[in-house]
Amino acid sequence: DLQVPEHYIEDPIQRLMISKRLASARTDAQLEQLQRELRDRWGALPAAVESLFGYAQLRLGAEAIGVLSIERNGDEVVLRLSEEAPIDMGAFVAAIAARPEWTLRPPDRLAVLTAGLGGGRLVASIREVLDALPLQGVPIAPTGADESARADR
């Protein structure tokens, strides 16, 4: 699903090296540098590679708010939350009750139904979930709210 396509980088070792660098990036600056390198060497980024970078940026944002992992499992995405995640638990329970596509799986997982989504649409859906997580001291974004409502993260 989220991988560098053969038609963009034919050499499997180069694809693997790029994937490793993308997975190990820890800052937006590192991601931007890698994007520049790819464009310089292989040309414009195809949609699949843009989705990879979108996912990498999503991962960085998720780590910053205490999400330990994001995994796709069939028709759902499962977020594993750190015990230290600054989540307002009362608001979290209310958010889960208000969103039928969300299911809490104790002790530390939030499952979100994402049937039929792939690539960029899946990344956007996960970003919406992260934006809707009620962080302590940050008002919860209403369902369907735009990203500017949570720009202060």
Side-chain angles (χ1 to χ4, degrees), residues 82-132:
S82 164
E83 287 184 26
E84 292 82 33
I87 293 177
D88 177 329
M89 292 312 281
F92 186 47
V93 169
I96 292 168
R99 291 171 171 84
E101 69 278 11
W102 288 20
T103 305
L104 184 59
R105 296 209 178 122
D108 61 356
R109 287 172 171 73
L110 173 65
V112 180
L113 188 60
T114 57
L117 297 181
R121 290 178 53 214
L122 179 61
V123 169
S125 178
I126 296 169
R127 181 167 284 121
E128 289 172 12
V129 170
L130 293 175
D131 287 343

